Amino acid sequence: MSAMSPSRRGAGATLAELVVEHVWDVLRGPSFRFVAATAAAFVVFFARAPGPWVNPVFFAEDRDWTTLLVTHGFWHTAFHARPDYAVLGNVAVLWGGMRLCDLAGDDVLSIPRYQALVSYFAFALVVSLPVLLLRRRLRPGALAAVWLLAVSMPLGIHSGSWSGYEILGRANNVGFAALFVAFLLVWVRLTTHLRPARAAVIDAGLATCVLTNPIATALLPVAAWPALRRLAPVRDRAGLRTAALAIVRDPAVWTLAAAVLACLAGNGIPTAVAHGDRTALAPPMPFDRAIECGLARSLFYSLSWPVYRWLNTDRTVALAALALWLTWRFGLPRHRWLYAGGLGLLALTSATLVFKRPELAAHLGDYRTTFPDRYFYAQYLVGLPLMAAFATDLGTRLAARPRLARLPLVALFALAALAVVLEPPGKIADSQFIVDDDGCFSRSAARAVALGAWRGADGKPAADGAFVGIPAHPSMPKEILLPRAAVERAITAVGASRTPPVLTAAAPATSPR
Amino acid sequence: MATFRHDRPPTDDRLTACRAAGAVRRVAAWTLVVATILAAGGAAFALVERAARDELDAIFGRPGVPMADVVGLAEVVRLADGVRVEQSFRPERDGLDGVQVRTATWKVVPAAADCRWRLVADADDGSAARVIRSGTLDPRRARDWTFLEIPFAAVADSSRRRLSLVIEGPADDPGAALGIPLFTPAIPHPPAVVTGSGPAAGCLHLMLLYPEGEPRR
């Protein structure tokens, strides 16, 4: 209810009073909670990993895909950056960064900073989505716990590994989160009355997720369940005809079909082809590593991360079995489909990693390190709403004892507090500065222009090429192509303010001392 | 601003006007709320950025002047089994009081080891070179692809000398060893000399430190 009386809402109220009254309405609404949660998550993620903004470099695929964006445009990059599947979401982040750089009036050499901003925003949006999408499915306290756990998710930022450097603020690893978004969208799709407009939005979101992370393809058949369910009571041919007609007339079926067609057009028929020498040549993942990768990191990392370094194969299997039994035994029957679906998705992801990415075994550290966290943070996120639903179920079962009923939710908040303690946002980790630019890129660009390192759109030297080939970083000497005219403008504009290359006097090669 | 009056019967026109006015007020309210969030978020962002930049400077040490611009990685020398890397250079200014050398650690913290360094002044008259500064460095301070600072007492007349920095690894293999990456220089520059293999394919990425410093960015 509004803080103002109905009479004030009508005649006599000033414009300011009416606006203030609406402000109260806005503050009570779910959209405000979503916007505020996104803004807060943005700041928290920036505080956790400020490196990409204060120390920007074109990193890994971000460099290659930015080159493709510059030379071939958005759609080509989204669908051809990788040979095996589309990376629509990742490319959208990179493209958004480039447009933001334009809007801010900054020079082309500053693009990675703005791509970092858009990346923080994308991660913030993803972790805040439950606040909006699950507001009628989880209680406010549970939603708050999910959000807190999501923004404080353990990412190995203070471990000294590359994990802290390559996720937040980067675009190349945003795509993993599409699995989590697809999970939320399917959850909503299965539990809501699907008006055509809502179905279209959800299915467009699903298609975007699948065209970013192909594992989300597994959720498309699940999304069709409400339509398929109409066939369940069919007993004769007439009933079948009626059910089929009802399915065909359902707009939500058409929007889903359009999404599936878009996914097929973008990704093709899913095939089990290993891409890259490291995957093709890697031996099958050993059993212990498979348990570490598939169970400890993927299936129940949302629960196991506080004791991860204490785990081994036996303990992992025992804890996973205990967690599954507890879920089945104490979860409310009306949520069992959710647990089965969520855990099934995690199991599928685990199996995909174990059987299709066996080279990961070489990176896993026998429970001593969580690197490479990028492959696992999405599974962690998927586990959070499951944990919140389970905590709510436990609370319901304990409703007769109010004090005990709050304990499960309190435990979730305690877990979030532990995550904040272990990876404090205010303490900037060394991992943020693993690769230092220190003006190197600007100097490399100036040198590339001075030497006339012109390139064609294919990356080959061309005297009249529209692009400049610039080594992205001394430790990552692969070139990035940027528009020649924009780079020349940037160098002219900032050349005087940058430290010029220092030419030291030639000294003879020294003799051994 | 149109408002709905209960004492007069509604008409279509008045209802439309009221709805439009309501929409304007909602937009105004949302604008106010979003502007507040942006302002608060911007202020928080600025605070974090300032702290991060301070941290950045603390991690990389004081800003230095590059010995030579580098453009590409040539190789990484592993400091173990007595391997020694030597790089000659000529400072442009007087008062050189330290150098920062870019290191590689293969994504782990190097093990403690007895690494020594010395600064050698080449004699211009052909006489023997002499060690003017020396010390040890702790490989555990090094991080992957960042600069490791080696401070020393200022060399008052550094601009008139040709100097060489020599870094020598431990006699044995400490396992997780410190690495010294060598880079292709952007302009011709004497390459480093690695014990046993002579002139290397590149030079050290070396920053020269002076008391007055250099603006980092």
Side-chain angles (χ1 to χ4, degrees), chain B residues 13-163:
Chain B
D13 287 350
R14 289 183 59 223
L15 280 174
T16 305
C18 282
R19 285 196 192 108
V24 168
R25 287 195 292 265
R26 270 196 299 279
V27 169
W30 263 108
T31 306
L32 197 62
V33 168
V34 170
T36 307
I37 288 175
L38 284 178
F45 189 90
L47 274 177
V48 174
E49 185 187 17
R50 190 181 307 163
R53 287 201 183 282
D54 291 347
E55 195 86 13
L56 178 75
D57 289 343
I59 287 175
F60 288 119
R62 49 201 172 112
V65 178
M67 173 191 79
D69 247 5
V70 295
V71 290
L73 181 66
E75 62 174 304
V76 182
V77 177
R78 195 165 172 274
L79 285 184
D81 299 324
V83 165
R84 194 175 62 200
V85 184
E86 181 174 341
Q87 176 68 59
S88 68
F89 60 96
R90 186 188 288 276
E92 281 202 330
R93 300 188 208 164
D94 286 335
L96 180 76
D97 65 353
V99 294
Q100 293 165 339
V101 58
R102 194 183 279 281
T103 55
T105 68
W106 293 276
K107 300 178 188 175
V108 296
V109 177
D114 183 23
C115 287
R116 297 174 182 279
W117 65 269
R118 55 184 182 272
L119 193 65
V120 180
D122 293 346
D124 288 335
D125 57 2
S127 59
R130 62 193 176 87
V131 176
I132 57 172
R133 305 282 184 274
S134 64
T136 58
L137 57 87
D138 184 0
R140 291 172 299 181
R141 283 171 45 221
R143 295 290 178 270
D144 221 7
W145 297 110
T146 63
F147 285 99
L148 180 66
E149 187 164 329
I150 303 174
F152 44 76
V155 180
D157 57 348
S158 53
S159 69
R160 293 192 292 278
R161 291 171 180 255
R162 192 167 57 236
L163 302 173

Side-chain angles (χ1 to χ4, degrees), chain A residues 53 162 433-434 443 504 513, chain B residues 49 69 107 122 129 144 189:
Chain A
W53 171 259
W162 279 74
F433 309 109
I434 281 177
R443 292 195 294 271
T504 57
R513 292 169 210 284
Chain B
E49 185 187 17
D69 247 5
K107 300 178 188 175
D122 293 346
D144 221 7
H189 192 278

Side-chain angles (χ1 to χ4, degrees), chain A residues 65-98:
Chain A
W65 296 348
T66 300
T67 291
L68 262 185
L69 271 171
V70 167
T71 56
H72 289 78
F74 179 84
W75 294 108
H76 177 90
T77 310
F79 290 101
H80 300 286
R82 283 188 63 106
D84 41 1
Y85 55 83
V87 282
L88 187 57
N90 309 65
V91 172
V93 170
L94 292 172
W95 180 85
M98 291 168 68

Side-chain angles (χ1 to χ4, degrees), chain A residues 462-499:
Chain A
D464 57 348
F467 306 99
V468 190
I470 308 168
H473 189 270
S475 67
M476 298 180 282
K478 206 169 170 183
E479 282 186 349
I480 180 169
L481 302 191
L482 290 176
R484 176 176 169 174
V487 173
E488 285 174 333
R489 269 199 310 276
I491 289 169
T492 308
V494 302
S497 67
R498 310 262 182 187
T499 308

Side-chain angles (χ1 to χ4, degrees), chain A residues 43-69:
Chain A
V43 174
V44 172
F45 284 149
F46 174 57
R48 293 183 68 190
W53 171 259
V54 298
N55 183 32
V57 292
F58 282 106
F59 178 70
E61 287 97 335
D62 290 1
R63 170 198 57 213
D64 303 334
W65 296 348
T66 300
T67 291
L68 262 185
L69 271 171

